[in-house]
Amino acid sequence: RYFNVYGPRQALSNPYTGVCAIFSARIKNRHVPLIFEDGQQSRDFIHVSDIVKANLLVMNDPRADDQVFNIGTGQPTSILQIAQLLGRLYGGSPPPTLNQKYRAGDIRHCSADIQAIRHLGFAPQIALEDGLKELVTWGREQAAEDRVEAAAKELEAYGLTSG
């Protein structure tokens, strides 16, 4: 089970691709990052290269046969921290907007228990800030259409936000 995967080559123009790509598109288009709730909800962010390493490990280790593994870092990071860090890495961004709205189905905190895959020798290698630097370096060269406002209106129209 993959947790919040980020890294280069994400679809920066897709408002459903993941918060790192969404915030990148907002910042690149000189828009303030939009955060639901209060920004303190947390997720486990793992770099795509660590996902590749985990996949190769379980494909080549017979102890992994018929097992289920959580693939993450085991470290929660708040959504607000992600927005602030990306803003700094892109060279500055106004403080994020905390809209205090809640999306149906969102959970407050989510981080991986990676003990099972650690027993196979897996350990995440890419520190969050280093991975985000790589995303930003790649992202600077990419076109990114900011579609967050339209996606937020769609959620509201379907009654999937409250607050």
Side-chain angles (χ1 to χ4, degrees), residues 91-105:
S93 172
T97 297
L98 305 173
N99 75 1
Q100 303 297 328
K101 291 185 179 182
Y102 298 84
R103 293 182 295 187

Side-chain angles (χ1 to χ4, degrees), residues 15-136:
Y16 303 101
T17 192
V19 71
C20 295
I22 292 167
F23 288 165
S24 291
R26 296 285 293 173
I27 294 166
K28 283 177 59 66
N29 284 285
R30 301 196 191 312
H31 298 147
V32 175
L34 173 64
I35 298 178
F36 286 85
E37 301 182 33
D38 62 0
Q40 296 308 310
Q41 61 273 37
S42 63
R43 300 292 182 266
D44 187 334
F45 294 92
I46 183 161
H47 191 270
V48 65
S49 65
D50 283 328
I51 293 289
V52 171
K53 289 174 188 166
N55 285 337
L56 291 172
L57 177 65
V58 300
M59 288 188 321
N60 294 307
D61 191 327
R63 296 175 298 166
D65 291 353
D66 302 318
Q67 303 299 311
V68 176
F69 298 97
N70 292 326
I71 311 299
T73 64
Q75 300 297 315
T77 302
S78 79
I79 300 301
L80 181 58
Q81 287 175 295
I82 293 293
Q84 292 168 334
L85 186 52
L86 282 169
R88 183 173 58 77
L89 292 172
Y90 270 105
S93 172
T97 297
L98 305 173
N99 75 1
Q100 303 297 328
K101 291 185 179 182
Y102 298 84
R103 293 182 295 187
D106 271 0
I107 57 174
R108 185 74 176 156
H109 303 291
C110 183
S111 64
D113 176 349
I114 61 172
Q115 278 188 306
I117 197 158
R118 279 195 187 278
H119 288 305
L120 299 181
F122 175 78
Q125 300 296 306
I126 308 298
L128 181 62
E129 185 163 350
D130 293 338
L132 290 178
K133 284 178 186 175
E134 183 183 1
L135 173 64
V136 168

